[in-house]
Amino acid sequence: MDPLAKIEDLQVKFLRLLRRLGLSQENLLVAKVLYRIHLASLIQAGESDVTRVNLGSNRAKAVAAEQEAAGPRELDFSFRILVLGKTGVGKSATINSLFEEMKTVTDAFRPATDRIQEVAGTVNGIKITVIDTPGLLPSSSSNVRRNKKILLSVKRFIKKSPPDIVLYFERLDVINMGYTDFPILRLITEVFGTAIWFNTILVMTHSSSDLPEGPNGHPVNYESFVTQCTDLVQHYIHQAVSDSRLENPVLLVENHPQCKKNIMGEKVLPNGQVWKSQFLLLCICTKVLSDVNSLLKFQDSIELGPLSAARLPSLPHLLSSLLRHRSISSPNGIDDEIDENSLLDMQEEDEYDQLPSIRILKKSQFDRLTNSQKKEYLDELDYREILYLKKQLKEEYQRRRENRLSKEENLVNDDNSDSQQVSPEAVLLPDMAVPPSFDSDCLVHRYRCLVTGDQWLVRPVLDPQGWDHDVGFDGISLESALELNRNVFASVTGQMSKDKQDFSIQSECGAAYTDPKGPTYSVGLDVQSSGKDVIYTVHGNTKLRNLKHNVADCGLSLTSFGNNCYVGAKLEDTITVGNRLKFMVNAGRMGGFGQVAYGGNIEATLRGSDYPVRNDNVSLTMTILSFNKEMVLGGSIQSEFRLSRGLRASVNANLNSRKMGQVCIKTSSSEHLQIALVAAFTIFKALLRRKAIESRSRETLESG
């Protein structure tokens, strides 16, 4: 018989037992068990046997009704129960009440069970074997050794024949907010492992005792009191296993001979429940679910413990990080995406030198101009600025090319090179973000610094949400780009943050070798903290420039997270048309931990006429992603442009096939008028919201 057929046979037995106990399939607990059996069967069957699973559930109900109608027959169904708990909580008394005969010795004044023993019997046609154990002593430093000795002996006893169900006993009438048995729960977890709590039922004895008084002097509600006590014990079990997902069923028991009984002679609790029938139902349900997990081998994939231990990185996220374009940084800060040939062909240098001189006006002179004259004057300054920046960029590339050619041909001797070396000029860094201060004069100048020829740039990182207004720095950032050898560059960027509890680090290290007449090879290492774990990614790329306006790129990556490794690969091709239009196509694969994700992008970018001095551009991107037999299509548009002389805007919008999208609009202004308009809009919106709230409250008062 295959696993699905065995599950169907087990489901028939379960339904027949319910009929013999007089329970309906509409019972909430029964419905949950049937649903879990059906769900587990669907997971095991897959898409091909869905119809078979659905028909099997209906067939099991029909077969159970038919067999019970033919006459009661003995069912091959039994289970073993292990009882654990402190001494004096009523373990032996519950065993005697279950079998309705004196199976074990009980004593109200001293421990009655001094050794491990098996008690067997039949209840309602079900064979039950109970493993009675000596009671654990109250939690204290002197009793830890004895309790551990008892638990280890129990562990050896059940090694050959493990129990199907574990009953952990507590007295309902003595549980309060000063619960002190957490060391016992932790010791049980330490000896037997967290798996013992999967099939454990919490048994609360003395459930018919007098209820405590509430704040008003009357007894508290029975249901609320039971919930409060069981939640307290469950909370400490969660702490013992370090997992709050576990939920153990609860059974209320009363063994006192004066307990109320119904007309059938069965003991009834204050809530009207017959505890013996509920006991059998919980045990049967726990046994059936345990057998289903064993048949489908689910128990090996279920583990209790901290949630962070089961965290796995997202393959789509790792794939998108692999497909992200990585530029090569050089010590002089030149971007490798800019085509040197296109820059050397620009004529802006000659055009700038041919411009006539212009008179720079003072503020008073500028104010006397008309509006049209002001516009023409500012446009002329912008035009000259763009030409000047392009001239500087072209001269920088010419200098780089001349230095490279001189090194290759060895035309410059050591003396000349030494005489031509010029000490680097000190550059003033822009003002950094400093902590907010309550002082009347914030000493911002303390944090200003100069950058000279040093290749390491180290700056503190400000925490804007920090409480300390004098020292609000919680991290440090590091940047460096240097030339290791001829045509070999390396760059390091990173940031580290540390507070009293958490530590985080993000860094990117890379090295590249550029062949002037051939490909470019690069390798890198990325380190990023994720909670208490660290993600390491090693990647390598090769760029081929066989054609003037075409760049081909292939790359590999290896990501390590915990004990898992993920391997990815990508192919990319970029075609430029002129200086402004660029097309890029890439595709990649990321796999690991038995899963694979595929994806790719198609991107078209149109740059502004002032590129590369100004980064005005419009990009249209189409994305496809396949993961877990599901395909997602997406599109996005990105644009960055200048609305006016002092106002820039950035628009980013995306939408995918899941009907999920986002629109983001950002503006930045160097003029006070635009900032004032933003503030005015915010104030106007707040006034409208306040007016709507007042009108709504007025309507409520009138209706009342």
Side-chain angles (χ1 to χ4, degrees):
M1 297 173 66
D2 61 341
L4 294 180
K6 293 180 180 179
I7 291 177
E8 184 178 340
D9 182 61
L10 185 62
Q11 195 170 358
V12 170
K13 290 183 180 180
F14 178 62
L15 295 173
R16 293 184 63 186
L17 287 171
L18 294 178
R19 286 177 171 270
R20 296 190 179 186
L21 294 176
L23 297 174
S24 171
Q25 298 180 15
E26 304 300 327
N27 183 285
L28 181 59
L29 183 59
V30 174
K32 287 183 178 181
V33 173
L34 292 176
Y35 171 75
R36 292 186 181 184
I37 294 175
H38 181 71
L39 186 62
S41 301
L42 289 176
I43 295 175
Q44 178 69 18
E47 298 180 357
S48 58
D49 290 340
V50 172
T51 304
R52 177 189 172 189
V53 172
N54 294 330
L55 293 177
S57 299
N58 297 329
R59 185 168 53 249
K61 296 178 181 179
V63 172
E66 180 181 351
Q67 291 182 356
E68 286 298 306
R73 291 183 302 172
E74 184 178 355
L75 290 175
D76 184 15
F77 188 86
S78 62
F79 48 80
R80 293 171 58 84
I81 300 176
L82 171 67
V83 296
L84 294 174
K86 290 191 303 181
T87 181
V89 295
K91 299 187 298 296
S92 300
T94 303
I95 295 174
N96 294 334
S97 298
L98 176 65
F99 292 107
E100 296 182 352
E101 59 178 297
M102 186 64 69
K103 292 282 188 180
T104 60
V105 179
T106 60
D107 195 317
F109 301 100
R110 61 185 180 86
T113 305
D114 56 357
R115 60 184 178 85
I116 304 173
Q117 57 182 345
E118 286 190 358
V119 179
T122 303
V123 179
N124 289 16
I126 303 173
K127 298 177 182 178
I128 301 177
T129 302
V130 181
I131 305 173
D132 193 12
T133 61
L136 302 174
L137 298 181
S139 301
S140 65
S141 57
S142 58
N143 294 332
V144 172
R145 187 172 182 179
R146 174 173 171 78
N147 287 341
K148 189 172 184 179
K149 182 179 179 181
I150 293 174
L151 293 176
L152 289 175
S153 62
V154 173
K155 184 178 181 181
R156 290 191 296 268
F157 186 87
I158 65 174
K159 188 174 183 180
K160 293 183 179 180
S161 182
D164 302 307
I165 303 155
V166 178
L167 302 181
Y168 180 75
F169 283 76
E170 285 283 1
R171 284 188 59 164
L172 184 66
D173 57 337
V174 298
I175 294 179
N176 51 40
M177 298 309 295
Y179 187 76
T180 59
D181 289 340
F182 172 69
I184 292 180
L185 300 175
R186 186 171 55 188
L187 185 61
I188 293 174
T189 307
E190 177 185 342
V191 173
F192 295 98
T194 58
I196 192 174
W197 297 106
F198 272 120
N199 299 328
T200 297
I201 300 175
L202 300 181
V203 181
M204 299 293 179
T205 60
H206 296 263
S207 296
S208 293
S209 301
D210 294 335
L211 297 174
E213 293 183 354
N216 57 0
H218 298 283
V220 298
N221 180 265
Y222 182 78
E223 297 293 345
S224 61
F225 175 70
V226 170
T227 303
Q228 179 183 359
C229 295
T230 55
D231 288 347
L232 182 64
V233 178
Q234 185 72 72
H235 169 72
Y236 284 107
I237 293 177
H238 289 166
Q239 289 190 346
V241 300
S242 300
D243 196 333
S244 59
R245 296 171 295 176
L246 181 66
E247 291 294 336
N248 297 102
V250 178
L251 175 66
L252 303 178
V253 172
E254 180 55 67
N255 299 309
H256 198 278
Q258 300 299 325
C259 177
K260 293 182 180 180
K261 299 181 180 180
N262 58 12
I263 59 176
M264 303 292 295
E266 300 170 323
K267 294 180 179 180
V268 180
L269 300 175
N271 59 358
Q273 187 180 76
V274 179
W275 73 262
K276 187 174 178 180
S277 301
Q278 185 69 12
F279 171 84
L280 292 176
L281 177 61
L282 285 176
C283 291
I284 292 172
C285 293
T286 304
K287 166 67 173 176
V288 169
L289 290 178
S290 177
D291 291 345
V292 171
N293 290 336
S294 300
L295 288 174
L296 300 182
K297 300 179 180 180
F298 284 167
Q299 70 275 11
D300 298 334
S301 60
I302 303 175
E303 294 182 359
L304 289 176
L307 294 178
S308 59
R311 293 177 58 188
L312 294 175
S314 170
L315 283 186
H317 174 74
L318 295 178
L319 180 60
S320 62
S321 178
L322 173 63
L323 296 178
R324 177 171 57 90
H325 180 75
R326 301 176 184 269
S327 60
I328 304 172
S329 300
S330 58
N332 49 24
I334 301 298
D335 191 354
D336 70 312
E337 286 188 345
I338 303 177
D339 190 1
E340 295 188 21
N341 296 323
S342 61
L343 284 173
L344 294 176
D345 293 339
M346 291 191 306
Q347 303 298 326
E348 277 77 3
E349 180 181 3
D350 299 335
E351 186 176 352
Y352 179 80
D353 294 335
Q354 295 173 4
L355 289 176
S357 60
I358 184 174
R359 179 186 175 186
I360 304 300
L361 301 179
K362 298 181 180 179
K363 187 177 185 301
S364 59
Q365 296 173 336
F366 180 77
D367 293 338
R368 289 196 294 267
L369 298 177
T370 63
N371 292 335
S372 60
Q373 290 175 339
K374 290 179 180 179
K375 183 178 182 305
E376 293 176 357
Y377 176 75
L378 295 176
D379 290 342
E380 179 66 21
L381 290 182
D382 288 343
Y383 177 68
R384 288 173 177 265
E385 180 185 8
I386 292 173
L387 294 182
Y388 178 73
L389 293 176
K390 288 186 177 180
K391 174 187 175 182
Q392 280 191 326
L393 192 58
K394 180 179 178 180
E395 290 176 351
E396 175 65 22
Y397 271 94
Q398 287 178 337
R399 185 185 63 81
R400 288 181 60 201
R401 190 176 66 168
E402 290 173 359
N403 290 340
R404 185 169 63 244
L405 293 176
S406 63
K407 289 180 181 179
E408 292 177 356
E409 298 175 1
N410 296 323
L411 297 178
V412 182
N413 54 27
D414 295 338
D415 297 336
N416 293 335
S417 62
D418 295 338
S419 63
Q420 292 179 358
Q421 287 183 354
V422 181
S423 59
E425 181 181 358
V427 180
L428 178 63
L429 285 178
D431 289 343
M432 60 184 294
V434 296
S437 176
F438 296 112
D439 300 333
S440 58
D441 51 346
C442 183
L443 305 178
V444 180
H445 65 272
R446 293 186 303 172
Y447 304 102
R448 290 180 177 174
C449 57
L450 294 176
V451 175
T452 58
D454 297 335
Q455 294 173 333
W456 294 96
L457 177 60
V458 182
R459 306 189 78 180
V461 178
L462 173 67
D463 180 15
Q465 307 298 331
W467 286 92
D468 196 338
H469 68 279
D470 286 334
V471 184
F473 301 107
D474 69 339
I476 186 173
S477 66
L478 174 69
E479 299 179 16
S480 178
L482 61 155
E483 185 175 1
L484 300 178
N485 201 347
R486 187 175 65 181
N487 299 329
V488 179
F489 305 98
S491 65
V492 178
T493 60
Q495 177 174 322
M496 181 189 69
S497 300
K498 177 72 174 69
D499 59 14
K500 293 182 179 179
Q501 295 181 350
D502 299 328
F503 172 80
S504 64
I505 182 174
Q506 296 87 28
S507 69
E508 294 184 2
C509 308
Y513 168 75
T514 303
D515 188 351
K517 300 180 181 180
T520 299
Y521 305 97
S522 64
V523 294
L525 172 64
D526 298 343
V527 180
Q528 179 179 359
S529 58
S530 175
K532 295 184 179 180
D533 298 322
V534 180
I535 302 177
Y536 301 93
T537 302
V538 181
H539 55 83
N541 290 74
T542 301
K543 287 188 176 182
L544 304 176
R545 297 178 179 267
N546 296 328
L547 301 177
K548 181 178 180 181
H549 298 287
N550 179 260
V551 178
D553 185 3
C554 60
L556 296 173
S557 73
L558 175 63
T559 302
S560 174
F561 183 79
N563 297 326
N564 303 318
C565 291
Y566 303 86
V567 181
K570 75 166 184 177
L571 293 175
E572 182 177 302
D573 191 72
T574 304
I575 299 176
T576 57
V577 180
N579 296 333
R580 300 179 57 187
L581 187 60
K582 182 181 74 170
F583 296 96
M584 188 270 294
V585 179
N586 61 20
R589 176 190 184 276
M590 179 67 66
F593 204 65
Q595 296 179 325
V596 180
Y598 300 91
N601 300 319
I602 301 176
E603 179 180 350
T605 304
L606 178 62
R607 297 163 173 150
S609 58
D610 298 332
Y611 177 82
V613 175
R614 289 178 178 168
N615 195 26
D616 295 350
N617 63 82
V618 178
S619 299
L620 181 64
T621 306
M622 300 298 295
T623 304
I624 183 172
L625 175 66
S626 175
F627 180 63
N628 279 345
K629 299 180 181 180
E630 183 178 1
M631 183 175 296
V632 179
L633 300 176
S636 65
I637 181 171
Q638 299 179 7
S639 178
E640 185 176 349
F641 52 91
R642 191 172 72 157
L643 295 174
S644 63
R645 185 168 291 104
L647 182 63
R648 293 190 62 84
S650 174
V651 179
N652 185 355
N654 57 73
L655 182 68
N656 59 27
S657 58
R658 291 183 175 180
K659 298 182 180 181
M660 300 173 61
Q662 177 182 347
V663 177
C664 179
I665 301 176
K666 297 181 180 180
T667 59
S668 61
S669 173
S670 59
E671 298 181 4
H672 299 288
L673 177 61
Q674 281 79 358
I675 299 176
L677 289 176
V678 172
F681 174 77
T682 306
I683 296 173
F684 180 71
K685 189 73 177 295
L687 292 175
L688 290 179
R689 186 182 298 111
R690 179 180 299 179
K691 185 177 180 181
I693 294 174
E694 291 177 354
S695 61
R696 193 179 302 113
S697 62
R698 192 181 302 112
E699 292 176 357
T700 304
L701 291 175
E702 292 176 356
S703 61

